[in-house]
Amino acid sequence: MEETNVQLQPPTYGKLVTILSIDGGGIRGLIPGTILSFLEAQLQKLDGEDARLADYFDVIAGTSTGGLVTAMLTAPNENNRPLFAAKDIKDFYLNNCPNIFPQNSCPILPHTTKVIKALSGPKYNGKYLHRLVQEKLGNTKLHQTLTNVVIPTFDIKYLQPTIFSSYELKNDESIDALLSDICISTSAAPTYLPAHYFETTDKAGNVRQFNLVDGGVAANNPTLVAMGEVTKEMIKGSQDFFPISPLDYTRFLVISLGTGSAKAEMKYNAPEAAKWGILSWLTHGGSTPIINIFSQASADMVDLHLAVVFRALNSEKNYLRIEDDTLAGDVSSVDIATKKNLDELVKVGEGLLKKPVSRVNLETGIYQVSNHETNEQALIRFAKMLSDEKRLRDIKSPRGKGKVNSVSK
């Protein structure tokens, strides 16, 4: 098996296990993209302009659009540094989303057109996305990412999740796929983009087939999947995590970024939905209720679980979930890629930075203000913790040779 390309010194030389997680959500990836740009800028203030997010997180996890962002942040360029800086994510989305999700050219009968597309095949053919991802990522494989990644997909042939995990590579060479194939697969949202087929061949010549769709089917919020992959390594006795206990959540530092939802808009109700057939579940109100429901349920269940656990262990300050559940209208869609709507999504991300940190109410499931700290202030605090953690590891690690923050000026 090829050696991994991870640059960050392992947690055994520090105090924390650092995890960044990014939800799925199509064009709404602009929201976490805006937040990540702010976080990386804070790290650059501390450690120099060459600092990148991949230098600080033990694992970056992403589903669907979050998987694409994960690849952008961790794939190496010709200098073995991240292919994209976080500030570049916004322009990538603004420039390419209109071509990934071309808007309806028949304004006279838009609903009829949507119904026909829903019946005849995926809403978009995916050709532009496939070509773009393959062009940007080239022949880069999973083992070459600059930090560990966890990207969920779902195999429709076996009806079970397939998790592309840097950690699992040690046990399963067959998942060392092209990063482009992984990104195309985790983004293949049913009814929106076509399922993706590809094969891998190991050194012994064994061929594995993959028949994959969007990772949101399994885990639209991949935070818990990432923590599970780390925990499995601890259980196996990996020296990278010694002496951290799998049950010691006080040693986890987790930033989990949502892509927004429209809970407050209350789009659906039972008396109405009771009358729906297959077409309404696929196209009601210009959206796709069945996809919205399962992706939101998946994301919320993960956040509910983690909120309970971190609170029970008095470690709430080590877990930051940034989400906006007040989206309404076009900004709540995953594919209305007009210039106006994309610009509005950037504004949503910028506005979210100024809002108070909110936590999910364990009784109602609604986000409520938890303290007077804004998301921006929380990210500044987390940036300091990440910088200090990296500095400690660089000093203590033999591989670090006592250097203080290799990205420092």
Side-chain angles (χ1 to χ4, degrees):
M1 183 61 218
E2 301 276 2
E3 289 188 10
T4 64
N5 198 24
V6 175
Q7 309 289 301
L8 179 62
Q9 308 304 316
T12 189
Y13 299 111
K15 296 180 179 179
L16 300 168
V17 178
T18 56
I19 296 174
L20 171 63
S21 176
I22 309 154
D23 285 14
I27 61 170
R28 299 199 311 261
L30 274 164
I31 296 173
T34 302
I35 293 165
L36 291 171
S37 179
F38 177 84
L39 176 59
E40 190 168 89
Q42 299 310 306
L43 291 167
Q44 290 168 347
K45 288 180 181 179
L46 295 168
D47 298 326
E49 63 181 15
D50 291 333
R52 296 290 183 268
L53 292 170
D55 299 324
Y56 297 88
F57 287 98
D58 292 303
V59 54
I60 300 179
T63 296
S64 195
T65 197
L68 181 58
V69 172
T70 296
M72 293 168 69
L73 297 174
T74 62
N77 62 17
E78 63 276 7
N79 298 316
N80 211 35
R81 294 293 292 150
L83 191 61
F84 285 81
K87 65 180 177 60
D88 299 326
I89 295 172
K90 180 179 77 172
D91 285 341
F92 178 88
Y93 274 73
L94 292 177
N95 293 333
N96 292 295
C97 281
N99 293 315
I100 296 172
F101 303 111
Q103 298 304 289
N104 178 34
S105 59
C106 181
I108 300 174
L109 299 171
H111 182 69
T112 303
T113 302
K114 289 177 181 178
V115 170
I116 293 171
K117 284 190 174 182
L119 289 173
S120 61
K123 192 172 181 180
Y124 307 100
N125 62 32
K127 291 180 180 179
Y128 182 88
L129 174 63
H130 295 190
R131 185 170 64 251
L132 176 68
V133 170
Q134 289 163 349
E135 175 188 308
K136 296 295 182 183
L137 297 176
N139 294 319
T140 303
K141 288 193 169 184
L142 181 60
H143 76 270
Q144 294 173 285
T145 58
L146 295 169
T147 193
N148 298 295
V149 301
V150 173
I151 302 177
T153 65
F154 192 85
D155 195 308
I156 56 175
K157 182 174 182 179
Y158 299 106
L159 293 181
Q160 65 181 27
T162 296
I163 311 297
F164 290 93
S165 163
S166 301
Y167 298 111
E168 191 59 30
L169 270 177
K170 302 170 187 176
N171 308 310
D172 186 359
E173 184 184 348
S174 71
I175 64 170
D176 193 22
L178 289 172
L179 210 51
S180 58
D181 280 325
I182 296 172
C183 285
I184 292 168
S185 299
T186 195
S187 301
T191 76
Y192 286 95
L193 290 162
H196 189 53
Y197 174 86
F198 65 93
E199 299 176 352
T200 60
T201 306
D202 64 21
K203 291 179 180 177
N206 300 309
V207 176
R208 178 174 175 180
Q209 300 177 336
F210 295 88
N211 298 269
L212 304 178
V213 297
D214 191 345
V217 173
N220 203 51
N221 174 349
T223 311
L224 202 55
V225 178
M227 295 181 71
E229 290 297 300
V230 169
T231 301
K232 284 194 294 184
E233 287 297 295
M234 293 177 180
I235 292 171
K236 293 173 185 175
S238 169
Q239 291 302 301
D240 283 351
F241 297 95
F242 180 82
I244 302 172
S245 163
L247 298 178
D248 191 358
Y249 273 39
T250 63
R251 301 287 290 273
F252 283 84
L253 184 153
V254 178
I255 299 176
S256 175
L257 303 181
T259 56
S261 69
K263 285 184 183 178
E265 198 174 16
M266 298 177 64
K267 287 187 174 180
Y268 320 122
N269 59 67
E272 180 185 23
K275 304 171 186 176
W276 291 353
I278 185 65
L279 288 181
S280 293
W281 280 104
L282 291 174
T283 64
H284 179 78
S287 65
T288 310
I290 190 66
I291 303 296
N292 295 342
I293 290 168
F294 78 64
S295 62
Q296 195 59 51
S298 166
D300 283 354
M301 288 299 290
V302 170
D303 187 33
L304 278 166
H305 172 80
L306 291 176
V308 170
V309 172
F310 276 91
R311 190 174 304 178
L313 296 175
N314 296 314
S315 302
E316 284 184 280
K317 289 199 171 183
N318 280 24
Y319 172 62
L320 178 63
R321 172 70 171 171
I322 300 181
E323 174 69 309
D324 188 338
D325 62 355
T326 65
L327 301 186
D330 288 355
V331 292
S332 67
S333 80
V334 298
D335 67 331
I336 299 180
T338 62
K339 183 181 186 304
K340 178 184 177 183
N341 198 42
L342 295 174
D343 289 340
E344 286 298 317
L345 284 167
V346 174
K347 292 177 183 177
V348 170
E350 293 169 346
L352 196 50
L353 288 169
K354 303 298 182 182
K355 289 184 178 181
V357 171
S358 297
R359 299 193 188 280
V360 65
N361 182 304
L362 302 183
E363 303 298 327
T364 66
I366 302 297
Y367 281 85
Q368 297 177 340
V369 174
S370 63
N371 55 47
H372 296 295
E373 185 181 41
T374 65
N375 289 315
E376 189 173 76
Q377 291 169 333
L379 288 169
I380 292 171
R381 175 169 58 84
F382 270 72
K384 181 65 166 60
M385 294 169 69
L386 289 165
S387 177
D388 288 346
E389 174 69 13
K390 185 180 188 306
R391 186 180 302 270
L392 177 62
R393 295 188 195 184
D394 285 343
I395 290 172
K396 293 180 66 176
S397 168
R399 188 158 62 94
K401 299 180 181 179
K403 294 179 182 179
V404 177
N405 277 25
S406 58
V407 295
S408 297
K409 292 179 180 179

